[in-house]
Amino acid sequence: LEADAYPGPSLVIAYTPCISQGFPMSESIAHCQLAVDSGYWPLFRYNPELMAAGNNPFQLDSRKVKGDLFKLLSAENRFAAVMRRDPKHAEQ
């Protein structure tokens, strides 16, 4: 809604998992939440109109990282393949 209300060009960047990542699509919302909780996908907004009132136009909406990034990455085929091929490298 905020991007739509802005009187100029707006850009929305979203994390959207796909079936080739290797988990059931019925778990997409939970996977997206884990991406945010683990710090993999930060939630933020940038609204240039806030500068007129002296406020910072950048707003970080993500809370403190509380999820497990390794758990998120190991659920996705693209990262799980690296973990199988070279576990020591993947752990780093």
Side-chain angles (χ1 to χ4, degrees):
L1 296 171
E2 187 174 334
D4 189 40
Y6 183 70
S10 296
L11 176 66
V12 176
I13 303 172
Y15 178 78
T16 56
C18 70
I19 198 151
S20 67
Q21 288 175 314
F23 59 91
M25 290 290 86
S26 61
E27 298 174 11
S28 290
I29 292 175
H31 188 75
C32 290
Q33 186 65 55
L34 183 56
V36 171
D37 291 345
S38 68
Y40 180 78
W41 193 261
L43 296 179
F44 63 90
R45 294 176 283 147
Y46 183 87
N47 185 346
E49 291 182 319
L50 295 177
M51 287 188 288
N55 296 318
N56 188 346
F58 178 82
Q59 299 175 42
L60 181 64
D61 296 322
S62 299
R63 292 188 168 81
K64 183 178 177 184
V65 173
K66 63 180 179 182
D68 183 355
L69 181 60
F70 194 78
K71 180 180 176 184
L72 170 80
L73 298 179
S74 64
E76 295 191 8
N77 283 338
R78 58 190 172 161
F79 299 114
V82 173
M83 292 175 193
R84 286 190 301 272
R85 188 174 31 238
D86 189 355
K88 283 186 180 182
H89 183 75
E91 244 183 76
Q92 293 175 351

